């Protein structure tokens, strides 16, 4: 018998009225979220925690184990152009410490978002071209879904700069969800105008 699972992890083949039957049909997912210092990557993380919590969080009352949320951050290898002879090992200590501190702050902020949602979370720090490293991580960890934020680049900027989300959409070995930044509502704009 085939079971089809929709975006929130519920069996779409049949609906049952009992809670226990529904809990048995939930598929727990391994979800990877690519994060960096941008607000858009944190919007994507918040979207995942809010909307996919059912399929990634544990349920202690039923004894059902949760899925897994993997936060991946990639340090670009731009340092090889600055220090071509020695690679990252010859990076001056202050630069290395600053990068480590920045990454620690990044993960601290991300893990705070996940706290209280009972989401089992792991972190990965990779080095290389973010587009390629994210796709490699997807393949190696066998995740069910990759989530990335959209920077909202226009067509011309995207053509010149490249887009991590576009690249991952073409090359990732799993489904990918690109989360656009939330739109500002007219009520929040009105409140801002009234407060000025």
């Amino acid at each position: 018998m085939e079971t089809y699972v929709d975006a929130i992890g519920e069996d779409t083949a049949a609906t049952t009225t009992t809670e226990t039957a529904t809990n048995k049909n939930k598929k727990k997912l391994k979800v990877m979220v690519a994060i960096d210092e941008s607000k858009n990557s944190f919007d994507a993380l918040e979207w995942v925690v809010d909307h996919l919590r059912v399929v990634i969080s544990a349920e202690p009352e039923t004894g059902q184990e949760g899925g897994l949320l993997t936060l991946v951050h990639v340090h670009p290898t731009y340092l090889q152009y600055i220090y071509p002879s020695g690679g990252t090992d010859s990076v001056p200590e202050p630069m290395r410490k600053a990068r480590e501190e920045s990454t620690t702050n990044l993960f601290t902020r991300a893990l705070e978002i996940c706290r209280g949602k009972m989401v089992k979370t792991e972190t990965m720090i990779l080095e290389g071209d973010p587009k390629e490293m994210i796709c490699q991580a997807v393949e190696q960890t066998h995740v069910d879904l990759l989530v990335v934020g959209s920077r909202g680049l226009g067509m011309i900027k995207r053509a010149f700069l490249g887009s991590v989300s576009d690249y991952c959409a073409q090359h990732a070995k799993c489904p990918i969800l690109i989360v656009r930044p939330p739109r500002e509502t007219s009520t929040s704009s009105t409140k801002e105008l009234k407060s000025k």
Side-chain angles (χ1 to χ4, degrees):
M1 176 181 171
E2 291 185 14
T3 301
Y4 297 94
V5 179
D6 67 8
I8 58 169
E10 295 184 15
D11 183 3
T12 57
T15 349
T16 59
T17 56
T18 63
E19 176 117 1
T20 55
T22 302
N23 284 339
K24 288 180 184 176
N25 291 332
K26 289 181 185 175
K27 179 183 177 193
K28 296 300 180 174
L29 300 177
K30 290 172 58 176
V31 178
M32 180 178 284
V33 179
I35 61 169
D36 59 16
E37 292 81 10
S38 72
K39 180 185 180 320
N40 295 339
S41 71
F42 280 91
D43 288 341
L45 175 60
E46 288 175 359
W47 192 95
V48 166
V49 171
D50 290 343
H51 292 88
L52 299 181
R53 189 171 55 95
V54 173
V55 294
I56 58 175
S57 60
E59 298 177 14
E61 63 276 359
T62 64
Q64 186 173 16
E65 240 183 79
L68 178 65
L69 177 62
T70 302
L71 304 176
V72 63
H73 176 66
V74 182
H75 292 172
T77 54
Y78 62 88
L79 294 172
Q80 70 186 9
Y81 301 110
I82 299 171
Y83 304 101
S85 61
T88 57
D89 292 338
S90 66
V91 174
E93 188 68 17
M95 285 184 73
R96 190 181 59 74
K97 282 190 176 189
R99 185 167 77 171
E100 286 176 9
E101 186 177 320
S102 172
T103 302
T104 300
N105 292 339
L106 181 79
F107 280 132
T108 300
R109 185 174 155 209
L111 291 170
E112 283 177 11
I113 293 171
C114 299
R115 190 174 298 142
K117 302 288 186 173
M118 296 178 60
V119 176
K120 184 178 176 183
T121 307
E122 70 176 5
T123 59
M124 292 177 77
I125 302 171
L126 305 172
E127 189 164 330
D129 179 12
K131 299 180 273 195
E132 293 174 6
M133 296 308 295
I134 291 168
C135 289
Q136 283 180 15
V138 163
E139 197 168 342
Q140 292 170 354
T141 58
H142 306 289
V143 295
D144 299 306
L145 177 67
L146 171 63
V147 181
V148 295
S150 170
R151 289 194 301 175
L153 295 177
M155 194 166 58
I156 294 172
K157 283 185 181 177
R158 193 169 46 235
F160 285 108
L161 298 175
S163 165
V164 171
S165 57
D166 283 349
Y167 184 90
C168 290
Q170 296 298 317
H171 296 93
K173 303 284 187 203
C174 73
I176 178 171
L177 173 67
I178 301 171
V179 178
R180 290 180 176 247
R183 293 183 183 177
E184 290 189 30
T185 60
S186 58
T187 56
S188 66
S189 300
T190 307
K191 288 178 186 177
E192 287 177 16
L193 290 174
K194 287 180 182 178
S195 66
K196 290 183 180 179

